[in-house]
Amino acid sequence: MKQHIRLFMFSFLASRVVCEHFVTEAFLIARRVVDRLEREQTHDILCVNCNEQVFEDVVTRLQNERPYVALRRITLVSGTINILDSMQEMHRKPSLVLQCCTNGTYCHWGESFWYSNPNKYSIYIQLFHGVDNTHIIKYGSELKRGGIIKVLQFVAPSKNHTKARVYVTGALVEKRITVSNDSDAENRLFDGTLTNYRNFVYEVGIVPMLAHVYRTGNNFRNLEISAFLTILEKQGAKYRFHREIELNKLLHKMLSGKMHVLLNPVETSKKVFEVAYWKDIQEYCIVLPRRYERMHLQLLLSPFKWQIWLVIVVILVAIQVVSFMFPERVPSYLILKCFFGGGEPEHSLATGNRLIVCVICVLIFLLTETYQAILLSLMSADPFEKNPETVNEFIEQNQTLIITKRANLPNLLPAKLEPLLKEVDQMDVDITLQNASIVSCDLAHFLNTNPYEWTLPVKADLIVIKPRVYYRMKHIIFSWTCPAVRDYQRYMDIMYDVGLYHRQLQIWFPKKMYIRREQTFNDLIVLTDDLIPVWELLGTGLSVSLACFIAEILVSKLKKVK
C-alpha cells in the first residue's frame, strides 16, 4: 500500500513538474513574441479559453511582466455561430491571440470566422494540453483556411512525446513547419517564411458588367485587371481564373472560401467581405442616351413657333379679304405675285397700289428668307429633342432611372430620385446605351469616344448630367479567407504614390475622351439624309396630285357613261 502511495505521489509530482515546465516554456514563447512587436504601438492580447487552470499561470505571468499590454478574454462555446460579433465591438484589434485548448474546451471558432474576422491579421499562438495530434492538425488547418498568416502551435508533453513540440504554420505555407528549438519559434514568425507569396495562388473572378467593352475574344481587359496582374508580378504569386460571370455565384464562392478576390466594386450592407481601396474617388452620374427627333414633315414647321405661323396665316387671310373688298386697290393675285412674280407690271399700277405691293412683298420676302435660313440650320445639325441638363430637369421629365441592385446605395442617393429608381441585378452596356441609368461618369465618356474601337451594340451618344449623384472610393472586394489583402493593399498604395496607377488610368481613360469635338465644315453641309422632310413633302404632294388626277379621270368617265 505504501509503495502504491509513493508511486502515485511520484507520478503526481512528476506531472506537476512537467506541467510547470510546460507553463514556463509557453510563457517564455508568448513573452518573446510580444517583445518582437513594435514598441511604438499599443498592443492588446485576446486570450481565448484562458480560464483553464493549466494556462492561468501563463496569463498571470504575462500580465505581471508586461503590464502595458492590455488583455481581454473570451470563451468559445459549442453551438456559438456569431462569437465574433462581440469581438467587433472592441475599439482596438489585438496583436496577439492566445488560444488555449484542452480536452475539456471547445476550440472551434464557428461559421462567422469565415465571413468576418476582425482579428485576421493577429498572431495566433495555440497552446495544447492533452489534445491528440489529429485535432491539433485540424485546429491549425481551421486557422489556415480562415486566412491567418502567422500561427504558432505549442503542444505539451504527452505519453507519446516526452518533450514539448512547437510548430509554425499559416495560410501561405502548404505544410506546418516543425521547430526543433522552441527558443527560436518566434523567429520563424518574423523571418518572412510565413509571408512568402511565391507559392500562393489567387482564386480570382470578375463580373463583366460591360461585357461588350471589356471582353476581347475569350479574354477580359480593364483597369483593375491590369493593376491585378502588375501586383501579382511584384508578389511573385499566381492566379486561377473562375469563368463564371453571374455575380450571385461568385459571391457565394467568396463566402464559402472557394474564391479570394472579385475585381468589381460590390457594395454590401454588412462587412462580409474585405475591401482594398485605391486613393481615388469614383464619381457616379445620371447617364442617358441623347434622344433625337424622327425626320418627318413636322421639321418643316419647326423654324417658327405656332404663334408666328398664326400671324402669317392671319396676314395672308387679311390680304385676301382686302383684295376681295377692294379689288381695284389690291389685286387678287398679289400673294402669288410676291411669291413667284408674274402678273401685271408694277410700273403700270398707281402709286398707292405700288406701295402696297412693295410693303407686302418685302414682308413676305423677310419671312421666307428667315424661314429658309432657320430650316437650313436645322437640317445641317442633328435635330434632337430637349434633353435634360440638370438633375431637376431630369426629375421633371419623370423618366425611369435604372440602378444596380445594392443594399446601401439608396442611402447615398438624393431622396427626390427614389420614386424614379428601378433596380436591376446586373448593369450591362445595352442597358446603359438605351436607358437612363446611374453609372460611372468616366464610363459614359469612354463609350462616347470608344478609344479602342470596340464593337458596341449601337453608336453611343450619352449625356452625362452633372453634378454627380454620389461618389465612393474605388475598390475591389476580397474574401475574409484570403491572406493577401493587406499586402495587396500595400502594393495598391505604392502604385498610386509612384504614378503607376495614373499611367494605367491614362491608358484606359485618355484625356481626349473628355475633350468636346468641335464642329467642322463638313458637319455643316446639308446631306441627302438631311433633306428627308423635303423628300417626304415632295412624295406627299405627288401622292395627293396623283390621287386627284385619278379621281378626275374616274369622274369624267362616269359622266361619259351616263
Side-chain angles (χ1 to χ4, degrees):
M1 185 67 180
K2 293 182 179 180
Q3 186 176 2
H4 287 291
I5 293 174
R6 288 176 181 175
L7 289 174
F8 174 77
M9 293 180 63
F10 177 79
S11 61
F12 176 78
L13 292 174
S15 62
R16 181 68 180 176
V17 171
V18 171
C19 185
E20 287 290 339
H21 181 68
F22 166 73
V23 169
T24 302
E25 286 187 297
F27 160 70
L28 292 175
I29 288 178
R31 188 184 66 177
R32 287 196 296 265
V33 172
V34 172
D35 292 340
R36 289 289 295 267
L37 299 175
E38 298 179 10
R39 290 299 185 94
E40 293 79 8
Q41 300 179 4
T42 301
H43 299 284
D44 293 358
I45 296 178
L46 177 65
C47 200
V48 184
N49 297 339
C50 291
N51 53 351
E52 291 293 320
Q53 185 62 41
V54 67
F55 299 115
E56 188 68 29
D57 293 339
V58 177
V59 178
T60 303
R61 291 185 187 181
L62 200 59
Q63 284 181 309
N64 292 336
E65 293 203 15
R66 298 294 182 268
Y68 57 86
V69 178
L71 189 142
R72 297 188 298 271
R73 303 184 182 214
I74 64 170
T75 301
L76 296 180
V77 181
S78 178
T80 302
I81 297 178
N82 297 321
I83 187 65
L84 294 178
D85 289 348
S86 60
M87 298 162 58
Q88 295 279 7
E89 300 176 359
M90 299 178 181
H91 63 283
R92 283 200 307 260
K93 301 296 182 286
S95 302
L96 179 64
V97 177
L98 194 63
Q99 182 182 6
C100 306
C101 294
T102 64
N103 283 329
T105 58
Y106 184 80
C107 289
H108 290 288
W109 287 92
E111 294 181 6
S112 57
F113 192 73
W114 318 122
Y115 303 146
S116 178
N117 182 9
N119 308 322
K120 175 181 174 181
Y121 298 103
S122 305
I123 298 174
Y124 282 70
I125 297 181
Q126 293 181 314
L127 304 178
F128 295 100
H129 185 270
V131 181
D132 59 80
N133 192 56
T134 303
H135 284 85
I136 293 173
I137 296 175
K138 182 178 180 180
Y139 296 149
S141 300
E142 185 181 35
L143 293 181
K144 288 179 58 177
R145 185 187 170 196
I148 310 302
I149 298 178
K150 296 179 180 180
V151 180
L152 188 148
Q153 296 179 316
F154 189 76
V155 187
S158 61
K159 295 180 181 179
N160 298 329
H161 300 277
T162 57
K163 294 183 178 181
R165 291 164 290 159
V166 183
Y167 306 98
V168 292
T169 185
L172 298 179
V173 295
E174 296 181 0
K175 298 180 179 180
R176 64 178 184 175
I177 302 171
T178 303
V179 180
S180 58
N181 186 1
D182 60 350
S183 62
D184 293 333
E186 76 278 3
N187 292 330
R188 285 300 187 103
L189 293 175
F190 299 98
D191 64 0
T193 302
L194 303 180
T195 56
N196 189 348
Y197 291 86
R198 293 294 176 183
N199 298 321
F200 181 68
V201 179
Y202 284 91
E203 303 290 341
V204 61
I206 185 172
V207 178
M209 298 292 188
L210 298 166
H212 298 82
V213 177
Y214 289 144
R215 180 178 295 174
T216 305
N218 293 325
N219 299 322
F220 295 105
R221 298 174 57 197
N222 72 344
L223 174 64
E224 288 296 346
I225 292 177
S226 300
F228 175 75
L229 296 177
T230 302
I231 293 176
L232 257 66
E233 182 181 357
K234 298 297 180 181
Q235 288 180 327
K238 303 175 183 178
Y239 73 93
R240 185 181 295 110
F241 180 60
H242 294 247
R243 291 197 171 273
E244 290 89 349
I245 59 176
E246 293 185 16
L247 181 61
N248 292 334
K249 291 183 178 179
L250 293 177
L251 293 180
H252 179 73
K253 280 189 172 184
M254 294 187 67
L255 289 174
S256 61
K258 297 179 181 178
M259 200 174 76
H260 292 140
V261 55
L262 180 65
L263 300 178
N264 291 97
V266 178
E267 296 283 350
T268 57
S269 58
K270 296 183 179 180
K271 295 182 179 180
V272 293
F273 301 110
E274 278 195 276
V275 181
Y277 293 96
W278 292 104
K279 297 178 182 179
D280 194 10
I281 293 176
Q282 179 68 66
E283 296 183 343
Y284 287 82
C285 302
I286 297 177
V287 174
L288 68 157
R290 189 183 299 275
R291 295 182 301 169
Y292 289 87
E293 282 185 343
R294 179 178 175 268
M295 300 292 286
H296 49 59
L297 292 176
Q298 183 182 356
L299 182 63
L300 298 177
L301 301 176
S302 299
F304 295 150
K305 292 186 176 181
W306 67 270
Q307 295 92 337
I308 299 178
W309 284 116
L310 181 61
V311 172
I312 294 174
V313 171
V314 170
I315 292 174
L316 296 179
V317 171
I319 293 174
Q320 288 299 107
V321 171
V322 171
S323 65
F324 177 77
M325 297 176 59
F326 306 99
E328 68 283 355
R329 302 289 294 176
V330 181
S332 58
Y333 56 84
L334 179 59
I335 296 177
L336 294 178
K337 178 178 181 64
C338 293
F339 273 109
F340 305 107
E344 187 178 352
E346 288 82 357
H347 64 272
S348 60
L349 300 176
T351 304
N353 293 351
R354 280 187 288 176
L355 183 60
I356 293 174
V357 171
C358 178
V359 171
I360 295 176
C361 287
V362 169
L363 176 62
I364 293 177
F365 172 77
L366 292 177
L367 290 175
T368 55
E369 291 301 316
T370 303
Y371 175 81
Q372 291 176 4
I374 296 175
L375 183 63
L376 182 62
S377 64
L378 291 177
M379 289 182 175
S380 62
D382 290 328
F384 55 88
E385 297 179 6
K386 170 61 177 175
N387 291 283
E389 298 179 356
T390 63
V391 176
N392 291 332
E393 290 183 0
F394 178 83
I395 295 174
E396 290 175 0
Q397 293 190 2
N398 198 27
Q399 297 189 44
T400 301
L401 183 60
I402 297 179
I403 187 172
T404 308
K405 185 182 296 183
R406 294 291 177 265
N408 62 344
L409 283 190
N411 298 329
L412 302 175
L413 298 175
K416 54 187 178 181
L417 287 176
E418 291 185 6
L420 307 178
L421 294 181
K422 177 184 178 182
E423 293 185 344
V424 295
D425 294 327
Q426 181 174 328
M427 187 82 68
D428 58 23
V429 69
D430 294 322
I431 295 177
T432 304
L433 292 176
Q434 298 176 10
N435 303 275
S437 58
I438 297 180
V439 295
S440 166
C441 305
D442 294 332
L443 177 62
H445 297 294
F446 185 93
L447 294 176
N448 282 340
T449 55
N450 194 10
Y452 300 104
E453 297 182 355
W454 286 334
T455 302
L456 298 176
V458 295
K459 186 179 183 301
D461 192 0
L462 301 174
I463 300 173
V464 181
I465 296 181
K466 291 296 184 76
R468 65 194 179 196
V469 179
Y470 70 94
Y471 69 92
R472 64 186 177 189
M473 298 290 291
K474 292 184 179 180
H475 67 277
I476 57 176
I477 64 170
F478 287 83
S479 168
W480 279 100
T481 60
C482 179
V485 183
R486 180 171 288 183
D487 194 67
Y488 195 95
Q489 179 69 71
R490 182 174 66 88
Y491 276 105
M492 289 174 70
D493 295 340
I494 293 174
M495 288 183 63
Y496 187 89
D497 293 338
V498 302
L500 291 177
Y501 171 81
H502 300 84
R503 186 182 303 174
Q504 291 286 343
L505 196 65
Q506 290 178 1
I507 293 175
W508 289 96
F509 298 98
K511 290 183 178 180
K512 66 180 182 180
M513 288 171 25
Y514 307 95
I515 300 175
R516 186 177 181 86
R517 187 173 65 90
E518 296 296 335
Q519 202 172 29
T520 61
F521 176 75
N522 292 332
D523 298 327
L524 299 176
I525 298 176
V526 179
L527 303 177
T528 305
D529 293 340
D530 299 328
L531 297 176
I532 290 178
V534 178
W535 309 133
E536 291 181 353
L537 179 61
L538 178 61
T540 303
L542 292 176
S543 300
V544 173
S545 301
L546 180 61
C548 294
F549 176 73
I550 295 174
E552 288 180 358
I553 293 177
L554 293 176
V555 170
S556 62
K557 287 185 177 181
L558 289 175
K559 288 181 179 180
K560 290 180 180 180
V561 171
K562 291 180 180 180

